[in-house]
Amino acid sequence: MPELILKPGTLKELWLLPPAPGGSRKYLAGGTDLVSGSNAGMDASQVWVDISDIKELKGIRETKNSLIIGSGVKISELSGSGLISRWLPALRSAIPHFASPSLRNMATIGGNAATASPCADGVCALCAERADVWLELGGKKRKIALQNFFSGPKKTVLRRDELITAFEVPKWKHAGVYLKLGPRAYFGIAKASVAVALELDGEKVRSASITLASVSPVPLMAVKTANYLKGRVLNYDNARTAAALVKTEVSPITDARSEAAYRREMSGVLLERALNSVILTGRMSQVAG
Amino acid sequence: MTEKNKKITHRAKFSLKCFVNGEKVERDLDSSRSLIEFIRLDLGLKGTKEGCGEGECGACLVLVDGKAVNSCLMMAIQLQGKRLITIEGLKGRDGGLHPLQKTFMEEGAVQCGFCTPGLIIASEALLRENPDATVEDIKRGLTGNLCRCTGYEKVVSAVRKAQKLS
Ligand SMILES: Cc1cc2nc3c(=O)[nH]c(=O)nc-3n(C[C@H](O)[C@H](O)[C@H](O)COP(=O)(O)OP(=O)(O)OC[C@H]3O[C@@H](n4cnc5c(N)ncnc54)[C@H](O)[C@@H]3O)c2cc1C
Ligand code: FES
Ligand code: FES
């Protein structure tokens, strides 16, 4: 545990805080990663900054072309949001796969990104939704594509003390789905997951984004596979070819949770299942553009 | 460093104001006090259990502003201005046992009892959100709670029975 937790009431107060001794500040959002890591003896920082009650980091709102999701939004708030249901089908379908109901009441979407775990469900889905992430340091803001935010397992492009303030996700007409293979049906860390977002024009795929988790050091954008689908009819044959292709794009490892060869194989199986489910239901469920 | 920054930096203690089981509570605490330490050690409410300290077992569940959370992963400073309900605070309409507490006993959903407070809190949160939960909903709603004794069947029947009582 740290020696001290500071609790600024607003972002303005946060930027007035002095630098933490011996490294970057640790921000306490939902605490599901930070406190569990600290309880397990894996966090040596002396000072945490509690951002869990900062209003500017909360809420989901809509602009003409996008949704803005505050970094402090809890996973359970995403599931209750009409805007998310309406516009972000891949993210919506990832929520039941995320941890347990009580952890969903605590975990934030900003913490999910900052932790930069290769198996994170929320950000894998957000990458397929083509999200950008807003960062702020000392009042200075910058925006980058979420897929470029991760630089390795548990590594991000965040600068010292930089804060994730929000995600900006475009409103676009698409169908989406998220599938996760874990050790049991619910509440387990993934062996492999896939998020698919498809813009359809009748039978044809106008554009596709496919992101996989747990099969590469960072959330993997399967660009080759997405390009293959672009312009093609969405049918079972093409889904099978896409599944074969995605197996050449992943770079899984063997660890305590699964084996590399199995993960590679299951990446294809999950993608094929995801595409088939869009064939069956997706055209009807494509969100309004 | 400005005077204001100095003040923020050195405030190792903080004054927690919150409601615990319906009563207003004010305490000066170390800023690094965890919620489960506050509950068990400072308030002496021993119904809330610590099993794993890592979010895996659900023995530590409490309600904060009506939502189930794992008190082993929350810090007391995050309770500022909020309403905490622990297993001791769950009551029936007549002030006696809560329907879930009754049905857990009647159905034999308790063996060693270590997981029981957490399971009852998770069930209460689930039924508040979805009073008509199906067996499948109940199983999903309790995925964050481990029980090494009962095999869960009796837990699910206790929740089903409580649905009919309330
Ligand atoms: C038992 C268990 C099961 C889990 N299951 C899943 C799962 O199924 N799927 C999944 O994706 N994840 C899972 N997780 C991981 C975790 O719940 C998520 O990564 C969660 O979204 C983290 O968010 P938080 O708000 O709790 O972050 P915190 O623990 O508060 O913070 C995590 C890290 O991010 C930093 N941080 C937090 N917010 C910001 C911000 N706004 N700007 C900059 N840095 C920030 C913190 O300093 C810290 O280093 C699980 C965790 C546990 C303990
Ligand atoms: S003690 Fe909190 S989840 Fe196990
Ligand atoms: S009754 Fe013993 S762990 Fe559940």
Side-chain angles (χ1 to χ4, degrees):
Chain A
M1 284 295 154
E3 282 165 27
L4 183 68
I5 303 182
L6 304 170
K7 193 176 175 82
T10 60
L11 280 185
K12 200 171 156 206
E13 272 179 42
L14 182 142
W15 297 124
L16 285 173
L17 296 176
S24 190
R25 269 179 199 161
K26 283 284 168 135
Y27 290 117
L28 171 65
T32 59
D33 280 319
L34 187 60
V35 182
S36 62
S38 172
N39 286 347
M42 288 180 324
D43 178 76
S45 47
Q46 295 169 27
V47 182
W48 289 357
V49 177
D50 177 9
I51 55 171
S52 59
D53 286 315
I54 295 185
K55 282 208 181 61
E56 293 114 302
L57 303 180
K58 299 199 185 258
I60 304 169
R61 61 189 176 81
E62 149 180 61
T63 65
K64 187 158 172 280
N65 299 316
S66 55
L67 296 192
I68 311 287
I69 305 172
S71 63
V73 169
K74 309 277 183 193
I75 304 303
S76 60
E77 291 170 320
L78 294 173
S79 71
S81 155
L83 286 172
I84 302 291
S85 295
R86 167 136 198 246
W87 290 107
L88 307 181
L91 181 62
R92 180 187 59 202
S93 109
I95 295 163
H97 296 287
F98 194 109
S100 64
S102 57
L103 288 167
R104 292 199 285 273
N105 287 333
M106 307 176 77
T108 64
I109 189 70
N112 200 231
T115 297
S117 157
C119 36
D121 293 306
V123 286
C124 175
L126 272 182
C127 283
E129 300 283 9
R130 305 178 183 171
D132 290 330
V133 57
W134 277 99
L135 310 175
E136 190 170 328
L137 180 61
K140 275 210 188 79
K141 299 179 179 120
R142 61 179 178 134
K143 180 169 88 163
I144 59 172
L146 182 59
Q147 63 182 86
N148 298 329
F149 175 75
F150 306 98
S151 49
K154 314 242 166 218
K155 290 202 180 77
T156 70
V157 302
L158 278 176
R159 298 179 183 143
R160 184 177 172 148
D161 295 346
E162 198 169 28
L163 185 73
I164 303 173
T165 53
F167 299 87
E168 180 167 349
V169 202
K171 295 196 221 164
W172 53 295
K173 190 177 171 188
H174 65 290
V177 65
Y178 190 85
L179 293 181
K180 167 169 166 177
L181 177 74
R184 50 182 172 145
Y186 292 97
F187 197 22
I189 296 176
K191 297 172 194 283
S193 319
V194 62
V196 168
L198 297 176
E199 184 184 9
L200 297 169
D201 182 3
E203 302 273 286
K204 277 197 179 162
V205 178
R206 181 176 289 172
S207 73
S209 2
I210 299 169
T211 314
L212 294 103
S214 303
V215 290
S216 82
V218 296
L220 175 86
M221 301 303 290
V223 178
K224 260 198 310 184
T225 310
N227 281 344
Y228 165 78
L229 286 170
K230 194 173 165 180
R232 285 199 159 75
V233 172
L234 183 65
N235 59 26
Y236 295 120
D237 282 345
N238 289 338
R240 201 167 311 125
T241 310
L245 199 55
V246 87
K247 288 196 269 177
T248 67
E249 288 201 81
V250 297
S251 54
I253 54 163
T254 295
D255 62 13
R257 288 197 264 290
S258 191
E259 286 174 14
Y262 181 68
R263 285 184 152 135
R264 185 182 303 279
E265 197 56 33
M266 291 314 292
S267 300
V269 171
L270 289 177
L271 178 63
E272 190 171 348
R273 280 186 201 158
L275 292 171
N276 289 350
S277 87
V278 177
I279 294 171
L280 290 173
T281 61
R283 288 187 202 106
M284 284 174 297
S285 67
Q286 183 162 231
V287 297
Chain B
M1 197 184 290
T2 65
E3 220 24 63
K4 187 174 177 195
N5 287 353
K6 254 194 217 155
K7 217 168 73 198
I8 298 173
T9 323
H10 295 121
R11 213 192 290 145
K13 291 250 175 207
F14 78 107
S15 171
L16 175 67
K17 297 192 180 85
C18 60
F19 287 87
V20 177
N21 296 331
E23 296 197 1
K24 202 169 174 185
V25 168
E26 283 193 41
R27 288 285 168 100
D28 283 340
L29 295 178
D30 279 346
S31 65
S32 59
R33 200 75 167 149
S34 77
L35 181 57
I36 195 159
E37 288 170 336
F38 172 63
I39 293 169
R40 288 181 54 91
L41 305 180
D42 299 325
L43 299 173
L45 296 172
K46 299 287 172 76
T48 304
K49 307 296 184 206
E50 181 158 18
C52 64
E54 293 181 8
E56 296 279 356
C57 75
C60 63
L61 291 198
V62 295
L63 299 172
V64 171
D65 284 351
K67 304 257 183 218
V69 295
N70 301 62
S71 63
C72 72
L73 298 185
M74 203 168 145
M75 304 306 289
I77 202 168
Q78 295 179 290
L79 192 66
Q80 191 66 277
K82 303 199 170 90
R83 289 170 185 274
L84 169 73
I85 304 277
T86 66
I87 188 68
E88 291 87 349
L90 278 193
K91 299 215 163 50
R93 274 197 210 106
D94 57 1
L97 288 180
H98 184 276
L100 281 162
Q101 291 168 329
K102 282 189 198 151
T103 60
F104 266 63
M105 288 201 299
E106 288 163 9
E107 291 297 296
V110 181
Q111 287 185 30
C112 80
F114 194 82
C115 67
T116 311
L119 270 168
I120 291 182
I121 293 282
S123 307
E124 168 67 2
L126 167 79
L127 294 183
R128 278 189 194 184
E129 224 165 83
N130 182 5
D132 303 320
T134 62
V135 168
E136 185 54 31
D137 295 333
I138 294 168
K139 287 184 179 169
R140 278 198 204 181
L142 302 181
T143 44
N145 295 76
L146 294 180
C147 171
R148 297 294 79 186
C149 306
T150 63
Y152 305 102
E153 289 297 328
K154 292 180 173 181
V155 172
V156 175
S157 20
V159 180
R160 291 295 275 172
K161 196 165 173 188
Q163 276 177 309
K164 289 173 202 134
L165 290 184
S166 20

